[in-house]
């Protein structure tokens, strides 16, 4: 069962090729399925009818479709089960069966029945921003997600890629992990975030390179 507040433990799940079931084929189910497919999950939909978007996904084999209403015995051997029908009784029954079978359970309209909640997410390259209210107010989460979308532009993904490449160069320098850790603490200050927010990525990158050079560590990017 879901525990609220400080008892929640945020994680990022690796769902690549994991079997996930979604009970329901409406708009709520569609939003969840799109994110599951993006994460590489092996998705099975259990529903008598589907939205047009889901129908198209079935046609190109992005998801599997068990064309039936939920009934007991359909939720065996799944890693995650999402209950997203418009019938609270069906959602409760499906959640109970899935949990008994050892799956992690999410019920869209009943956080008290969940093993986990799904945060509002904004992706910028390899950077993921996530916001959650532990089920208290989905509407507030949507508002916060929209604010994140406006505030944190694609430049944050570009900067993450730049830092990843630079990190690999520093690893090749032969300095200890402790030295590199102290270096990053010195280099990545709050003013770098402001430069990215201002979309001044060139200056942000140059300041990072200069700080590294001043610390006496060279990278292949240092002369650019």
């Amino acid at each position: 069962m879901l525990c609220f507040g400080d008892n929640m433990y945020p994680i990022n799940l690796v769902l690549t090729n994991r079997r996930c079931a979604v009970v329901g084929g409406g708009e709520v189910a569609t939003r969840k399925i799109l994110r599951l497919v993006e994460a590489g999950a092996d998705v099975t939909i259990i529903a008598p009818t589907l939205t047009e978007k889901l129908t198209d996904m079935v046609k190109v084999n992005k998801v599997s479709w068990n064309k039936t209403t939920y009934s007991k015995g359909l939720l065996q051997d799944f890693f995650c089960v999402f209950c997203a029908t418009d019938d609270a009784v069906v959602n409760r029954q499906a959640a109970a069966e899935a949990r008994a079978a050892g799956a992690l359970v999410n019920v869209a309209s009943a956080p008290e029945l969940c093993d986990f909640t799904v945060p509002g997410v904004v992706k910028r390259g390899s950077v993921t921003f996530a916001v959650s209210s532990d089920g208290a107010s989905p509407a507030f989460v949507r508002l916060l997600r929209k604010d994140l979308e406006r505030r944190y532009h694609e430049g944050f993904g570009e900067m993450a890629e730049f830092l990843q490449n630079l990190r690999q160069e520093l690893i090749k320098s032969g300095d200890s992990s402790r030295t590199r850790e102290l270096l990053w603490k010195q280099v990545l200050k709050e003013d770098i975030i402001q430069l990215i927010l201002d979309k001044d990525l060139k200056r942000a990158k140059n300041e990072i390179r200069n700080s590294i050079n001043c610390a006496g560590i060279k990278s292949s990017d240092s002369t650019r």
Side-chain angles (χ1 to χ4, degrees):
M1 284 292 192
L2 175 69
C3 296
F4 292 94
D6 293 338
N7 290 328
M8 291 291 287
Y9 187 82
I11 61 172
N12 291 323
L13 283 176
V14 177
L15 293 180
T16 304
N17 297 324
R18 293 276 197 173
R19 297 189 69 231
C20 298
V22 178
V23 182
E27 294 298 334
V28 173
T30 299
R31 291 194 295 271
K32 293 185 179 297
I33 290 164
L34 288 173
R35 288 182 60 182
L36 286 169
V37 170
E38 183 181 356
D42 178 1
V43 180
T44 297
I45 309 169
I46 300 171
T49 60
L50 302 178
T51 62
E52 182 177 350
K53 180 66 176 179
L54 292 180
T55 300
D56 291 340
M57 293 175 71
V58 170
K59 289 178 180 178
V60 295
N61 297 317
K62 286 189 174 182
V63 295
S64 300
W65 182 22
N66 190 339
K67 190 177 180 181
T68 183
T69 56
Y70 164 75
S71 60
K72 191 172 182 180
L74 296 178
L75 296 176
Q76 301 299 311
D77 301 320
F78 288 102
F79 179 69
C80 288
V81 174
F82 295 77
C83 306
T85 77
D86 57 4
D87 187 323
V89 174
V90 170
N91 287 341
R92 185 177 292 273
Q93 291 173 343
E97 179 188 352
R99 185 172 292 108
L104 296 173
V105 175
N106 175 269
V107 184
S109 57
E112 71 277 5
L113 298 178
C114 297
D115 294 311
F116 65 96
T117 59
V118 180
V121 170
V122 175
K123 291 281 291 183
R124 296 291 183 254
S126 61
V127 177
T128 299
F129 299 93
V131 58
S132 172
S133 66
D134 294 347
S137 178
F140 187 45
V141 169
R142 285 193 294 271
L143 180 65
L144 291 172
R145 179 181 57 77
K146 290 180 180 179
D147 182 69
L148 288 171
E149 287 178 338
R150 289 191 296 268
R151 187 182 303 272
Y152 296 101
H153 51 78
E154 295 295 340
F156 282 85
E158 180 182 334
M159 182 57 68
E161 182 179 1
F162 165 77
L163 291 172
Q164 180 184 32
N165 292 334
L166 191 54
R167 177 173 176 265
Q168 293 304 314
E169 293 295 333
L170 292 177
I171 289 173
K172 293 177 182 178
S173 72
D175 289 280
S176 68
S177 60
R178 179 57 178 169
T179 297
R180 296 195 304 272
E181 179 184 357
L182 293 173
L183 175 67
W184 285 119
K185 288 182 178 179
Q186 176 184 335
V187 168
L188 295 180
K189 300 294 187 178
E190 290 185 8
D191 59 340
I192 296 296
I193 295 294
Q194 189 58 53
L195 288 173
I196 304 171
L197 287 170
D198 294 340
K199 299 185 179 181
D200 196 349
L201 300 185
K202 183 177 180 179
R203 182 179 171 188
K205 292 176 182 179
N206 285 337
E207 289 199 5
I208 290 171
R209 292 183 187 120
N210 289 338
S211 295
I212 290 174
N213 290 339
C214 288
I217 298 178
K218 301 290 185 180
S219 76
S220 63
D221 275 333
S222 62
T223 58
R224 295 184 186 179

